[in-house]
Amino acid sequence: MKQPYEILRWDTDFFGYPVAKIHRNNLSDQELIECLAFLKQDVRLVYYASANKIQDNTLLLKEFNGLLVDRKTTFYKEGCLSNAYSDKYTFEYNDNFNLHELLQLGIASGIYSRYKIDPNIEEIKYEALYKEWMINSIEGILADKVLVYVDDNTILGVITLDLKSNHNLVNIGIISVRECQRQGDWENIIKSR
């Protein structure tokens, strides 16, 4: 039988310690205990996306120093992504824009992420991760499009988009906005996509 986990090479190299992901999201408590007990020998960080409510496994979390750090939510909207942006403020990112502003928005996008919330992950690693994520998005590795919302030569928002094969489905990798002074800026950023 195939093991329900894998060692994640990129994460392991990035964090500097062994990181694993449990693939099966419907393990019984006993299967999860056995898997975590085995991984605990050599692995420092384990990602597990459970199909069940984690609160039901509070004792299990404590036994393995587990921590519920996020809940995934998927939003969707039917229709396709066009190349025509709906206002004069939205552009595809290019080298003419301020990279530092973009990277700061990337870091800010993760403020509620598992990497920021988990006390076992250092702040410097969290920031480096989101900077790298943004750079890899700009380079087309993690995103097909990086859209910025710009006013007065300042990037107010960013959204990274990964187009699926039929272009009727888009994954948002990063979405972030500066604290906006004018009411409606956030809404305009979202509407632009």
Side-chain angles (χ1 to χ4, degrees), residues 5-23 39 43 45-48 114-115:
Y5 68 88
E6 73 171 309
I7 301 298
L8 300 175
R9 292 288 160 225
W10 188 93
D11 298 62
T12 296
D13 291 343
F14 179 80
F15 287 110
Y17 48 78
V19 178
K21 177 180 180 179
I22 298 175
H23 290 293
L39 290 172
V43 175
L45 175 62
V46 177
Y47 305 137
Y48 178 58
R114 63 181 177 228
Y115 303 105

Side-chain angles (χ1 to χ4, degrees):
M1 183 172 149
K2 184 179 175 186
Q3 294 181 346
Y5 68 88
E6 73 171 309
I7 301 298
L8 300 175
R9 292 288 160 225
W10 188 93
D11 298 62
T12 296
D13 291 343
F14 179 80
F15 287 110
Y17 48 78
V19 178
K21 177 180 180 179
I22 298 175
H23 290 293
R24 290 184 39 213
N25 66 356
N26 60 351
L27 294 175
S28 69
D29 283 354
Q30 186 57 41
E31 290 173 317
L32 185 55
I33 287 169
E34 290 171 8
C35 186
L36 290 172
F38 179 78
L39 290 172
K40 190 175 183 177
Q41 298 171 37
D42 298 312
V43 175
R44 182 169 157 190
L45 175 62
V46 177
Y47 305 137
Y48 178 58
S50 175
N52 304 315
K53 288 190 176 185
I54 289 293
Q55 294 94 322
D56 297 342
N57 292 322
T58 305
L59 294 175
L60 185 64
L61 285 174
K62 285 182 181 177
E63 181 178 343
F64 291 98
N65 298 319
L67 179 65
L68 175 61
V69 290
D70 70 4
R71 287 187 169 88
K72 295 273 185 210
T73 303
T74 302
F75 298 95
Y76 72 94
K77 177 181 177 184
E78 291 185 22
C80 64
L81 180 68
S82 89
N83 287 325
Y85 307 119
S86 60
D87 60 59
K88 64 182 182 176
Y89 302 103
T90 305
F91 305 92
E92 280 198 54
Y93 178 82
N94 62 56
D95 292 340
N96 295 323
F97 295 107
N98 186 316
L99 179 61
H100 177 74
E101 287 178 359
L102 190 71
L103 294 177
Q104 291 308 304
L105 282 168
I107 291 168
S109 74
I111 195 154
Y112 299 110
S113 75
R114 63 181 177 228
Y115 303 105
K116 173 71 172 168
I117 292 172
D118 188 334
N120 298 305
I121 295 177
E122 299 169 339
E123 180 84 11
I124 195 166
K125 282 296 190 181
Y126 147 73
E127 290 184 4
L129 176 71
Y130 276 85
K131 284 181 183 178
E132 186 154 344
W133 189 350
M134 186 60 76
I135 289 168
N136 285 335
S137 295
I138 293 167
E139 293 176 352
I141 297 167
L142 296 177
D144 295 303
K145 292 183 183 277
V146 176
L147 303 180
V148 291
Y149 189 88
V150 179
D151 193 13
D152 292 330
N153 295 317
T154 301
I155 300 175
L156 298 178
V158 62
I159 185 169
T160 66
L161 305 172
D162 178 27
L163 308 173
K164 294 304 163 195
S165 60
N166 64 6
H167 288 203
N168 285 327
L169 182 63
V170 176
N171 280 344
I172 296 173
I174 291 177
I175 185 168
S176 183
V177 295
R178 282 184 187 273
E179 186 173 318
C180 296
Q181 301 301 315
R182 295 185 316 269
Q183 186 174 8
D185 282 347
W186 168 250
E187 187 175 317
N188 289 335
I189 292 166
I190 296 296
K191 282 183 179 176
S192 73
R193 281 314 60 204

